[in-house]
Amino acid sequence: MITELIAVGTEILLGNIVNTNSAYLAEKCAELGLTVYYQTVVGDNEERMKQTIKAAFDRSDVVILTGGLGPTKDDLTKEMTAEVMGLPLVEDIHSRERIEKYMKEYEKNNPQRRITANNYKQALVPEGAIVLDNHNGTAPGLIVEKNGKTAVLLPGPPNELKPMFEEEVFPYFRKKQPEIIYSQMVKICGIGESQVAEDIQDLIEKQENPTIAPYAKTGEVHLRVTAKAENEKECKKLIKPVVRELKSRFGKNIFATDEKKTLEEAVVDMLKAQGLTLALAESCTGGAIAARIVNVPGVSEVFGHGFVTYSNRAKRKLLGVKKSTLKLEGAVSAKCAKEMAKGGCAAAKADICLSVTGLAGPDGGTKETPVGTVFMGCCYNDKTIVREYHFTGNRTKIRQQTCAHGLALLRDCIMEGIQKKD
Amino acid sequence: MITELIAVGTEILLGNIVNTNSAYLAEKCAELGLTVYYQTVVGDNEERMKQTIKAAFDRSDVVILTGGLGPTKDDLTKEMTAEVMGLPLVEDIHSRERIEKYMKEYEKNNPQRRITANNYKQALVPEGAIVLDNHNGTAPGLIVEKNGKTAVLLPGPPNELKPMFEEEVFPYFRKKQPEIIYSQMVKICGIGESQVAEDIQDLIEKQENPTIAPYAKTGEVHLRVTAKAENEKECKKLIKPVVRELKSRFGKNIFATDEKKTLEEAVVDMLKAQGLTLALAESCTGGAIAARIVNVPGVSEVFGHGFVTYSNRAKRKLLGVKKSTLKLEGAVSAKCAKEMAKGGCAAAKADICLSVTGLAGPDGGTKETPVGTVFMGCCYNDKTIVREYHFTGNRTKIRQQTCAHGLALLRDCIMEGIQKKD
């Protein structure tokens, strides 16, 4: 089915906010086998909205609209869609009750404020529409079908849109497809995007069913393997040999085959499984790796101490880096990274410590140590290994890559350690 | 001038990457006084690209296209634009020379790789086009004028697009405007978005020239004051009283009036100006405030030590938080925040220390200490103040808000300290 995404809202049009909804929906549509040819952004303007919706229906089967479902007079998405589709708006009793309940709750908690009656506008729906409850706001979502065309209307805030899509819209379209579409994610770290692309070029060239779609993230590459078949079992059967092939090519660089698992979660899972405690000793990343580790809820079981040692004094004092090392080799050196990792383990009484020291720029580069040079060390089982990296890009980009590759190094070391114990 | 943005690329269409270019360009267009009514994304497909470009020219004066300028046969933006505009492609000698030079350089550095001849495709330009040199890649940008319509073609990678826009496209359009458009940014921290909106509602309602446009960022609100007049001096004259009014309303919550200054830069500037050294003691933010501080190049002068004390043991050991405090008041308490800040100053021998302890969730909330409760302390001049915050949203959102409000608190304390000294 040809599908089109329309984001409604002057905030996006003026660049006040970034249109992340369309990227999210586009990825989901690919997963569902819906073919997206166009994405459009239009402001809260009657005439232009109508024209945009009309043009979308002229060339697509499914139109997914986001935003403009709120209570104000600027919120016009529902009204304009109903008009283009030739459907009257009628009150949905269930939605009205939900809004009433929400308003009472709100006024109880905010006694000095009153929600105005225009909130009930949100209970009006195009006749015959499927109403999607909004568990994180007042505006319900809608699926409207007419003459073989489908409009999906979703609220703009991502925390309202995403759960609604996953719980209701995704299953709706999955059921509609003549074939089942099923996909499996393979997430890779520690290898560059172009290297991964080269390594799978032969697979991508001859692919038919399943397909492999690469998604590049900083320091990670995600490969989505998607199959079409009569049922899920058939899909899995098609996907299995491809995933096996990917596993044989990328081996331990695959950190997850679960869509939702992040790299930091994969690392924390390994630490938990091994009963290991982690410490971090960061210079150029300034705590950003610790901040990623702390993204994982319940991480306190394995992570207690992080040291941000931006100055030489901090490296000496908190981590016991030798004065002579800093003087002779400099702070951005393999020896310093090694002493930082070792010192971090000792200072935190942790089983494993990752250290990072590098030059994120923009200034301070030399011929021997250009901007982008990073040394990372990992101390575990009384052994410390150090790796040297050369990243490119601006300060932010260098630091983001350092974080991802640091987590990848940590994974490597934990796995190596496991092998040694066995 | 009515302006339309078209992003070309299957990666955006499929959601492989987020379309941040359009948000950037939309904000810049607003700054230039160009009225954006539509943004579109279209894939690398001849027919659909032509239709999209044609539709854009039918309803707009200026069409800004991004992406699809590379050397491969999928890169069609230039070809399709030239066709729609009825212009032949001719070789631009200057661009050909630049590409030759770039290729030689590349092959010298990558002896085992060869750049293919199709790179010269990038030197072809629509007849009469203004060529914009690309200092960060091979594909030049283009400005093409015909019959009162203007097409601007820019490379897709943001690090190529942004400098090219700022150096060449921005001045091009500024010159074209019958009136000068000039804007001044006012950046606010420590006050919520809805509070700011309420506080300036009267100004926005009666605004004509200059206008005030609010841009909400996490924990910050940016107000862009834009005036139109015959010359820059007139603009500044119009803007001055509005900025003065904003300053009187938001006072010390304004951290910058410079477009490019970030909150962390504002804090680091104050530290440098006062000759103060900073330490950070973070629990729930896990190093994320330190990572923001380290965003600022050359920060080592004022920042050396950060402590990520996620566990109680780390709080005791690294910062000297009392066992009894943790036992009786808990880690998420005003007392703990106070002892962390004080201990951080002492351990780092720093002049000022910000501490953070809170509950980012999703679990662990109680009636007394619900998820989103955060205590932040700041120790300076032997005095420690503590503030309590209640943030909403998921774990990531709570931590991001904590970072922004932590930096705001730090600013407050440095300013207070200055006042005391005077």
Side-chain angles (χ1 to χ4, degrees):
Chain A
M1 281 186 284
I2 308 301
T3 302
E4 182 148 351
L5 309 179
I6 301 176
V8 179
T10 304
E11 321 87 75
I12 300 174
L13 210 53
L14 296 182
N16 303 28
I17 55 171
V18 176
N19 184 7
T20 54
N21 285 341
S22 289
Y24 166 82
L25 290 172
E27 195 173 338
K28 287 288 161 195
C29 286
E31 208 179 325
L32 281 162
L34 301 172
T35 309
V36 177
Y37 281 157
Y38 299 95
Q39 298 175 8
T40 312
V41 180
V42 63
D44 307 300
N45 170 283
E46 286 204 16
E47 210 37 59
R48 287 191 286 276
M49 273 179 69
K50 260 193 285 185
Q51 275 173 22
T52 303
I53 297 169
K54 222 186 142 300
F57 273 124
D58 284 347
R59 59 193 182 191
S60 306
D61 308 305
V62 176
V63 180
I64 304 179
L65 296 115
T66 56
L69 295 181
T72 77
K73 65 175 172 19
D74 278 350
D75 293 305
L76 293 163
T77 304
K78 198 168 53 190
E79 289 74 5
M80 294 307 111
T81 306
E83 200 177 317
V84 171
M85 293 182 94
L87 290 166
L89 289 172
V90 295
E91 188 171 75
D92 178 56
I93 296 169
H94 168 74
S95 294
R96 178 157 180 122
E97 281 169 2
R98 282 182 64 91
I99 293 165
E100 256 164 14
K101 200 176 145 209
Y102 179 90
M103 281 167 65
K104 277 199 190 122
E105 195 76 16
Y106 183 88
E107 290 181 352
K108 207 174 75 190
N109 295 329
N110 301 272
Q112 75 286 28
R113 293 176 93 157
R114 284 271 161 279
I115 298 198
T116 47
N118 56 5
N119 267 281
Y120 291 117
K121 170 174 171 304
Q122 298 175 102
L124 293 173
V125 308
E127 199 171 52
I130 303 168
V131 177
L132 314 173
D133 284 350
N134 186 342
H135 301 295
N136 303 288
T138 49
L142 297 165
I143 298 177
V144 194
E145 297 167 325
K146 196 180 166 185
N147 300 339
K149 302 276 182 179
T150 306
V152 179
L153 282 68
L154 299 170
N159 69 325
E160 300 178 24
L161 176 145
K162 287 184 186 178
M164 194 182 278
F165 193 91
E166 262 149 60
E167 286 158 27
E168 312 232 36
V169 184
F170 195 95
Y172 168 85
F173 280 113
R174 169 140 292 177
K175 252 187 251 158
K176 284 228 149 185
Q177 298 286 23
E179 290 181 305
I180 283 277
I181 289 157
Y182 184 87
S183 72
Q184 160 97 49
M185 194 61 113
V186 175
K187 294 187 173 183
I188 296 168
C189 67
I191 315 180
E193 179 190 340
S194 55
Q195 186 64 50
V196 171
E198 227 176 282
D199 289 352
I200 58 167
Q201 207 182 339
D202 59 318
L203 298 178
I204 286 195
E205 269 168 15
K206 68 173 191 202
Q207 73 182 9
E208 276 178 35
N209 185 21
T211 56
I212 306 174
Y215 292 74
K217 319 275 171 181
T218 303
E220 297 176 26
V221 183
H222 299 179
L223 302 176
R224 183 188 292 286
V225 185
T226 306
K228 288 189 191 195
E230 252 179 44
N231 53 51
E232 198 175 304
K233 205 177 149 193
E234 279 303 308
C235 287
K236 285 186 177 167
K237 221 164 112 184
L238 287 166
I239 286 173
K240 210 176 167 184
V242 177
V243 171
R244 196 189 302 127
E245 180 59 32
L246 293 175
K247 281 186 178 169
S248 89
R249 293 190 187 197
F250 298 108
K252 66 187 177 61
N253 290 95
I254 296 172
F255 68 88
T257 51
D258 169 357
E259 177 97 41
K260 289 193 176 156
K261 180 147 296 179
T262 62
L263 180 51
E264 50 267 34
E265 273 171 351
V267 170
V268 169
D269 284 354
M270 286 174 104
L271 292 167
K272 281 187 179 172
Q274 292 290 309
L276 298 173
T277 57
L278 170 72
L280 292 166
E282 301 179 60
S283 182
C284 64
T285 45
I289 298 177
R292 278 194 64 173
I293 286 287
V294 170
N295 280 339
V296 186
V299 72
S300 54
E301 199 181 302
V302 293
F303 177 67
H305 296 63
F307 305 91
V308 180
T309 55
Y310 206 65
S311 66
N312 283 354
R313 198 166 73 84
K315 289 182 187 75
R316 290 213 323 269
K317 224 188 122 198
L318 301 181
L319 303 170
V321 173
K322 287 181 200 141
K323 209 170 173 173
S324 60
T325 303
L326 293 167
K327 205 175 158 190
L328 298 172
E329 315 268 332
V332 182
S333 66
K335 201 163 179 213
C336 182
K338 192 171 180 176
E339 291 179 11
M340 284 172 73
K342 241 178 135 168
C345 261
K349 291 203 175 68
D351 299 314
I352 186 162
C353 179
L354 176 76
S355 70
V356 186
T357 178
L359 200 59
D363 305 316
T366 63
K367 211 173 167 186
E368 295 76 38
T369 314
V371 167
T373 305
V374 175
F375 292 91
M376 295 202 249
C378 192
C379 176
Y380 178 35
N381 278 339
D382 281 327
K383 263 195 66 173
T384 308
I385 63 150
V386 175
R387 284 195 202 150
E388 182 174 348
Y389 301 80
H390 292 274
F391 300 116
T392 52
N394 62 16
R395 186 175 173 89
T396 305
K397 201 82 200 284
I398 288 169
R399 289 170 59 213
Q400 283 173 347
Q401 290 174 85
T402 305
C403 289
H405 285 271
L407 291 170
L409 173 58
L410 207 42
R411 264 189 86 243
D412 268 12
C413 292
I414 302 170
M415 283 192 291
E416 291 279 317
I418 291 166
Q419 284 167 3
K420 259 175 219 137
K421 272 187 196 166
D422 286 345
Chain B
M1 281 186 283
I2 307 300
T3 302
E4 182 149 351
L5 309 179
I6 302 176
V8 179
T10 304
E11 322 86 77
I12 300 173
L13 209 53
L14 296 182
N16 302 28
I17 55 171
V18 176
N19 185 7
T20 53
N21 284 343
S22 290
Y24 167 81
L25 290 172
E27 194 172 339
K28 286 289 159 194
C29 286
E31 207 179 326
L32 281 162
L34 301 173
T35 309
V36 177
Y37 282 156
Y38 300 95
Q39 298 175 8
T40 312
V41 180
V42 64
D44 307 301
N45 170 284
E46 286 203 15
E47 209 38 58
R48 287 191 287 276
M49 274 180 70
K50 260 193 284 184
Q51 274 172 23
T52 303
I53 297 168
K54 222 186 143 301
F57 273 124
D58 284 348
R59 58 193 183 192
S60 306
D61 308 306
V62 176
V63 180
I64 304 180
L65 296 114
T66 56
L69 294 181
T72 78
K73 65 176 173 20
D74 278 350
D75 293 305
L76 294 163
T77 305
K78 198 167 53 188
E79 289 75 5
M80 295 308 110
T81 306
E83 199 177 317
V84 171
M85 294 182 94
L87 290 167
L89 289 172
V90 295
E91 188 172 74
D92 178 55
I93 296 169
H94 168 73
S95 294
R96 176 155 183 125
E97 282 168 3
R98 282 182 64 90
I99 294 165
E100 256 164 15
K101 200 178 146 209
Y102 179 90
M103 282 167 65
K104 277 197 190 123
E105 194 76 16
Y106 183 88
E107 290 180 353
K108 207 174 75 192
N109 296 329
N110 301 272
Q112 74 286 30
R113 293 176 95 157
R114 283 271 160 280
I115 298 197
T116 47
N118 55 6
N119 267 281
Y120 290 118
K121 170 174 170 305
Q122 297 174 105
L124 293 173
V125 309
E127 200 170 53
I130 304 168
V131 176
L132 314 172
D133 283 350
N134 186 343
H135 301 295
N136 302 288
T138 48
L142 297 163
I143 298 177
V144 195
E145 296 167 324
K146 195 180 167 185
N147 301 339
K149 303 277 181 177
T150 307
V152 180
L153 283 67
L154 299 170
N159 69 323
E160 300 179 24
L161 176 144
K162 287 183 186 180
M164 195 182 277
F165 192 92
E166 261 148 64
E167 286 158 29
E168 312 231 37
V169 184
F170 195 95
Y172 168 85
F173 280 112
R174 170 141 291 177
K175 251 187 253 160
K176 285 229 147 184
Q177 297 286 23
E179 290 181 304
I180 283 276
I181 288 156
Y182 184 88
S183 72
Q184 160 96 51
M185 194 60 113
V186 175
K187 295 187 173 184
I188 296 167
C189 66
I191 314 181
E193 177 190 341
S194 54
Q195 186 63 50
V196 172
E198 228 176 282
D199 288 353
I200 59 168
Q201 209 183 338
D202 59 319
L203 297 177
I204 286 195
E205 269 167 15
K206 67 173 191 201
Q207 72 183 10
E208 276 179 34
N209 185 21
T211 57
I212 307 174
Y215 293 74
K217 318 275 171 181
T218 304
E220 297 176 27
V221 183
H222 300 179
L223 303 175
R224 183 189 293 286
V225 185
T226 307
K228 288 188 193 194
E230 253 179 43
N231 53 51
E232 198 175 302
K233 204 178 151 193
E234 278 304 309
C235 287
K236 285 185 177 168
K237 221 166 112 182
L238 287 165
I239 285 173
K240 209 176 168 185
V242 178
V243 171
R244 196 190 302 128
E245 180 59 30
L246 292 174
K247 281 186 178 168
S248 90
R249 292 190 188 196
F250 298 106
K252 67 186 177 62
N253 290 96
I254 296 171
F255 68 87
T257 51
D258 169 357
E259 177 96 41
K260 289 193 176 158
K261 181 147 293 181
T262 63
L263 181 51
E264 50 267 33
E265 274 171 353
V267 170
V268 169
D269 284 354
M270 286 175 104
L271 292 167
K272 281 186 178 171
Q274 291 291 307
L276 297 174
T277 57
L278 169 72
L280 293 166
E282 301 180 61
S283 183
C284 65
T285 44
I289 297 177
R292 278 194 64 173
I293 287 287
V294 170
N295 280 339
V296 185
V299 71
S300 54
E301 199 182 302
V302 293
F303 176 68
H305 296 64
F307 305 92
V308 181
T309 56
Y310 206 66
S311 67
N312 282 354
R313 198 165 73 84
K315 288 183 188 74
R316 291 214 320 270
K317 224 187 125 201
L318 300 181
L319 303 171
V321 173
K322 285 180 202 144
K323 209 171 173 173
S324 60
T325 302
L326 294 167
K327 206 177 160 189
L328 299 173
E329 313 269 331
V332 182
S333 66
K335 202 165 178 208
C336 182
K338 193 171 180 176
E339 291 178 12
M340 284 171 73
K342 241 180 134 167
C345 261
K349 291 202 174 71
D351 298 314
I352 185 162
C353 178
L354 176 76
S355 70
V356 186
T357 179
L359 200 58
D363 304 318
T366 62
K367 213 174 165 186
E368 295 77 39
T369 314
V371 167
T373 305
V374 176
F375 292 91
M376 295 201 249
C378 192
C379 175
Y380 179 34
N381 278 340
D382 280 328
K383 262 195 66 171
T384 308
I385 63 149
V386 175
R387 283 196 202 149
E388 182 175 347
Y389 301 81
H390 292 274
F391 300 116
T392 54
N394 62 17
R395 185 175 173 88
T396 305
K397 202 82 202 282
I398 288 169
R399 291 170 58 216
Q400 283 173 347
Q401 290 173 86
T402 305
C403 289
H405 285 270
L407 292 170
L409 173 59
L410 207 43
R411 264 189 86 243
D412 269 12
C413 292
I414 302 170
M415 282 191 291
E416 291 278 318
I418 292 164
Q419 283 166 4
K420 257 175 220 138
K421 272 186 196 165
D422 285 345

